[in-house]
């Protein structure tokens, strides 16, 4: 793999954002790119929403969550949530609540599950059952 990327190491090709994602140099260029940028942002939002839906479906399909599994999944959910929030400016409350369900102590788990707003109550209850089994 190092040999494949080596020719590009000295250039900026691997370090720059795609032109559609860079800030425009002036207002005139900004006006020209606005419809294209809106399409890119809409597409990225759709990808993020679908990714979140697939993740929640995969979690729901898990038969059980060990302590180590919950810890790893919480780290993965937190990473994905950070990407959505920082890179895409997309809030995803479901991921924040899921991370809370995965990281809290077992004793406080039912109370946290009952306080969820973004997640479906049945999903939150299922996470409780998976972690307690």
């Amino acid at each position: 793999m190092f040999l494949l990327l080596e020719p590009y190491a000295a250039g900026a090709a691997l370090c720059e954002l795609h032109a559609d994602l860079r800030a425009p140099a002036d207002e005139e260029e900004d006006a020209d790119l606005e419809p294209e940028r809106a399409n890119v942002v809409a597409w990225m939002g759709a990808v993020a929403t679908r990714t979140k839906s697939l993740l929640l479906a995969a979690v729901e399909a898990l038969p059980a969550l060990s302590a180590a599994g919950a810890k790893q999944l919480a780290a993965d959910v937190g990473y994905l949530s950070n990407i959505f929030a920082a890179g895409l400016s997309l809030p995803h409350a479901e991921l924040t609540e899921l991370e809370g369900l995965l990281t809290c102590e077992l004793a406080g788990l039912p109370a946290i599950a009952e306080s969820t707003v973004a997640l479906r109550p049945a999903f939150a209850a299922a996470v409780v059952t998976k972690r307690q089994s």
Side-chain angles (χ1 to χ4, degrees):
M1 178 147 160
F2 296 109
L3 296 176
L4 296 175
L5 296 177
E6 193 173 319
Y8 302 102
L14 297 176
C15 300
E16 293 183 357
L17 287 173
H18 188 274
D20 287 342
L21 301 176
R22 277 187 242 133
D26 57 32
E27 290 180 21
E28 185 176 309
E29 185 180 343
D30 189 28
D32 293 340
L33 289 177
E34 197 56 43
E36 292 176 17
R37 184 167 289 130
N39 290 337
V40 168
V41 170
W43 178 80
M44 291 169 66
V47 169
T49 300
R50 181 66 177 147
T51 301
K52 178 195 66 181
S53 296
L54 290 172
L55 172 69
L56 294 176
V59 170
E60 198 164 25
L62 293 173
L65 273 167
S66 66
K71 186 176 180 179
Q72 180 61 55
L73 184 56
D76 296 339
V77 168
Y79 179 74
L80 186 60
S81 185
N82 286 339
I83 290 171
F84 288 168
L88 305 175
S89 299
L90 299 171
H92 285 282
E94 296 97 335
L95 296 181
T96 303
E97 289 183 355
L98 177 57
E99 187 178 7
L101 287 170
L102 294 169
T103 57
C104 73
E105 296 294 326
L106 288 176
L109 191 55
I112 291 180
E114 289 176 14
S115 70
T116 60
V117 177
L119 291 172
R120 291 180 296 113
F123 179 87
V127 171
V128 170
T129 302
K130 292 170 196 299
R131 285 207 51 211
Q132 291 176 336
S133 59

